[in-house]
Amino acid sequence: MTPDQFRAALAGDDTLLMGVVNVTPDSFSDGGRYYELADAVAHGMRLLAEGADIVDVGGESTRPGAAPVAADEELRRVLPVVRDLAAAGAAVSIDTRHAEVAEAALAAGACLLNDVSGLRDAAMRRAAAAHGVPVVVMHMPVDDPAVMQQHTSYVDVVDAVVAFLREQAALALAEGVPSVIVDPGFGFGKTVEQNLQLVRRLHDVVNLGYPVLVGASRKRFIGVLSGVTAPEERLGGTLAVHLACVQRGARVVRVHDVAAHRQALAVWGHVS
Ligand code: HH2
């Protein structure tokens, strides 16, 4: 899909797949596998060939306790990957918490800004507005993945997530960002039970009226629920969560395993 086709598809009804390209040494499920430029680009191209509608390029792991990455190092990792995949005509998303990285990646051809810190930083909102690209506003209770798991005491997690997304989405739109996708942020400052509540009550997020993105792929709560320790072996549990979310109205699914999701969605479309 080209960037224009992706934007048009967002306004439609189809479920879209976002393939994950982690250009990191330490991501929780595939750290180090696509750290070299050629490996990262080849992986992105493979995900597109398997049916990804967009590829999400990130240069910093956000797993709990991951070491923060300086913006210049993050840029060194992601910029050539974004440039090469965009030059191939693909829709590319930049997954970053840093405005400097967002700005450079959008200038290099990324067509979506995915910010796990929920566009708290005004410079992020300015970058998206200046480049005229949609954003993913994700919920995380604090602006720091290193300590997010120490901030899981909500009165009602779903209400807190919905209120945050409503406010941050409105702020982004008021400051000129053309459109918003919202994301409950599975695993970001949430207990296993809170992730489950968000899946069960995803309707409340969908009712905000924005397209909803979900990203449960291989995450720890799936490991806890299934007893599967190795993240790369959690595809079955991942599919179960993602299909439950699609049934409740999620429009974009962020995944490591594109081919399996394509197959599941194709069959799901016939039986749901
Ligand atoms: N999850 C991760 C990273 N970025 N972006 C959005 N919008 N939603 C998510 O749920 C999400 C995200 C974490 O997964 P991954 O990139 O595989 O791991 P790591 O952060 O360790 O690189």
Side-chain angles (χ1 to χ4, degrees):
M1 227 178 230
T2 64
D4 283 346
Q5 287 168 334
F6 179 78
R7 257 188 295 270
L10 262 185
D13 293 329
D14 290 344
T15 308
L16 303 175
L17 288 180
M18 170 185 271
V20 179
V21 180
N22 283 325
V23 196
T24 59
D26 59 346
S27 284
F28 79 95
S29 80
D30 56 4
R33 289 191 63 185
Y34 314 112
Y35 193 38
E36 298 298 326
L37 171 61
D39 294 336
V41 174
H43 183 57
M45 295 304 291
R46 187 163 49 242
L47 297 181
L48 292 162
E50 287 177 2
D53 298 297
I54 188 165
V55 280
D56 189 38
V57 179
E60 180 189 44
S61 173
T62 49
R63 70 184 160 75
V69 178
D72 58 347
E73 168 61 13
E74 195 183 334
L75 269 175
R76 188 196 65 74
R77 295 178 186 179
V78 297
L79 206 53
V81 181
V82 169
R83 197 172 281 138
D84 283 8
L85 291 171
V92 180
S93 157
I94 177 68
D95 182 354
T96 186
R97 303 185 295 127
H98 300 119
E100 196 181 331
V101 176
E103 177 59 48
L106 295 175
C111 66
L112 178 70
L113 172 56
N114 176 24
D115 178 9
V116 299
S117 58
L119 274 88
R120 285 175 166 96
D121 180 355
M124 283 296 227
R125 304 192 293 271
R126 276 198 300 275
H131 288 274
V133 296
V135 295
V136 179
V137 176
M138 197 199 79
H139 174 270
M140 173 160 66
V142 285
D143 194 1
D144 184 0
V147 297
M148 64 191 175
Q149 287 308 109
Q150 295 159 31
H151 294 267
T152 58
S153 47
Y154 308 91
V155 174
D156 179 310
V157 69
V158 181
D159 290 352
V161 166
V162 167
F164 175 86
L165 295 177
R166 181 187 288 117
E167 197 166 314
Q168 293 305 109
L171 190 60
L173 292 173
E175 294 182 12
V177 174
S179 63
V180 165
I181 299 167
V182 293
D183 178 349
F186 293 132
F188 286 84
K190 281 115 192 163
T191 63
V192 173
E193 179 51 33
Q194 288 164 350
N195 286 308
L196 291 176
Q197 285 181 40
L198 283 163
V199 175
R200 293 188 195 114
R201 289 170 56 198
L202 197 72
H203 289 303
D204 290 2
V205 182
V206 171
N207 285 341
L208 282 169
Y210 304 108
V212 172
L213 182 150
V214 291
S217 192
R218 303 180 178 179
K219 284 186 178 170
R220 198 183 67 85
F221 77 102
I222 292 173
V224 172
L225 294 170
S226 62
V228 176
T229 317
E232 62 278 16
E233 290 171 12
R234 294 174 184 158
L235 174 58
T238 298
L239 286 167
V241 173
H242 281 164
L243 290 178
C245 291
V246 169
Q247 186 178 34
R248 289 168 185 136
R251 291 288 322 289
V252 187
V253 187
R254 182 181 183 276
V255 305
H256 299 89
D257 304 284
V258 170
H261 278 82
R262 237 332 130 221
Q263 184 184 124
L265 286 173
V267 176
W268 181 257
H270 292 282
V271 298
S272 59

